[in-house]
Amino acid sequence: AAAAQSYRFIPAYSLENQYTLEYVSSLSVAENAAIFKNYLKAAGFKTSSSVEKADEVFYYGTKDNTDLSIVIVKRDDAVKVTASYLVR
């Protein structure tokens, strides 16, 4: 899948960096959810918040000084994935 949007946010006078990638996936919500849920576990992230619905999935994981949030949403027959990675 090609990135629909990608950006980096660095607040003024901050040591934090946030990277975000958004794309439309050819996989289903459930397939994407399984991939990211397995990744969070394998990479050692602690999932502190999650929502799992048929057309919407959200995971928020933390590891050391990093946070990773994943949003997977199906709208109008398209599955959009947004991943944001915060480094403190």
Side-chain angles (χ1 to χ4, degrees):
Q5 294 184 28
S6 176
Y7 57 90
R8 178 179 175 193
F9 177 68
I10 305 172
Y13 309 107
S14 176
L15 299 177
E16 296 180 349
N17 290 297
Q18 181 173 328
Y19 305 87
T20 300
L21 174 66
E22 180 179 286
Y23 62 93
V24 175
S25 175
S26 61
L27 301 176
S28 70
V29 171
E31 290 169 319
N32 277 291
I35 290 168
F36 283 104
K37 189 174 189 175
N38 290 336
Y39 170 77
L40 287 166
K41 184 177 180 180
F45 281 87
K46 178 183 176 188
T47 303
S48 57
S49 182
S50 66
V51 174
E52 295 178 314
K53 299 180 182 178
D55 289 342
E56 183 175 281
V57 172
F58 169 75
Y59 297 123
Y60 193 90
T62 58
K63 176 182 170 184
D64 301 324
N65 291 326
T66 60
D67 298 357
L68 179 59
S69 69
I70 306 295
V71 178
I72 307 162
V73 179
K74 182 177 181 183
R75 299 278 190 271
D76 302 322
D77 294 324
V79 176
K80 183 173 76 170
V81 177
T82 304
S84 291
Y85 185 70
L86 175 66
V87 180
R88 285 182 253 116

